[in-house]
Amino acid sequence: MKHNPTATILTGLLLGLAIPAFPHTVSAASFDCDRADLAADEKVICDTRTLNDADVKMVTTFDLLAGLMAMGNRDKMHEEQSAWLKRRQACGEDVDCIRAAYDERLKQLDDAYKSLNRPL
């Protein structure tokens, strides 16, 4: 795998911004772990630190990218997020499946970041 310093820096910044926001909580970034009606995949995410961290990274990256994109691209990104969420939910309690879903989505978001039009 090729080392990408820009992605590493972006990831570090995103995690640095996200972690202080959740100092002692047991909530994932995209949903409340204290809800009584958690789906199977959400329970696993709340109970598995690495999946919880992946959720924080994914939602933080998603939110930052959404703010940088033009409206048409933003709408497409929201549609892709909804489709991805259905795939993650289909994993149920399968930790490996959920982890693979996050890996896939984070790669998609990284690719979206790389394809952003930037001023020279």
Side-chain angles (χ1 to χ4, degrees):
M1 181 183 218
K2 190 175 175 183
H3 177 67
N4 182 341
T6 303
T8 302
I9 291 168
L10 178 63
T11 299
L13 288 172
L14 294 175
L15 287 175
L17 293 171
I19 290 170
F22 306 99
H24 298 292
T25 73
V26 279
S27 292
S30 61
F31 55 89
D32 180 4
C33 288
D34 293 329
R35 278 190 0 243
D37 63 342
L38 287 174
D41 63 317
E42 293 173 330
K43 288 178 188 174
V44 171
I45 293 164
C46 290
D47 292 341
T48 309
R49 179 61 186 233
T50 57
L51 295 178
N52 194 311
D53 291 348
D55 190 72
V56 169
K57 182 178 177 182
M58 185 275 306
V59 77
T60 304
T61 303
F62 178 87
D63 288 345
L64 286 171
L65 279 173
L68 296 172
M69 292 189 159
M71 289 299 264
N73 290 341
R74 195 176 311 153
D75 291 343
K76 180 182 176 206
M77 201 168 104
H78 281 280
E79 290 171 10
E80 291 170 349
Q81 186 75 2
S82 293
W84 170 81
L85 182 58
K86 288 177 185 173
R87 288 191 303 276
R88 188 199 76 194
Q89 290 169 337
C91 291
E93 297 177 354
D94 185 338
V95 173
D96 291 333
C97 179
I98 296 169
R99 184 173 291 116
Y102 277 107
D103 290 346
E104 172 195 0
R105 188 61 179 146
L106 287 166
K107 183 184 178 327
Q108 290 170 345
L109 294 174
D110 185 50
D111 291 345
Y113 173 75
K114 290 175 186 173
S115 69
L116 282 175
N117 288 328
R118 294 175 187 81
L120 297 176

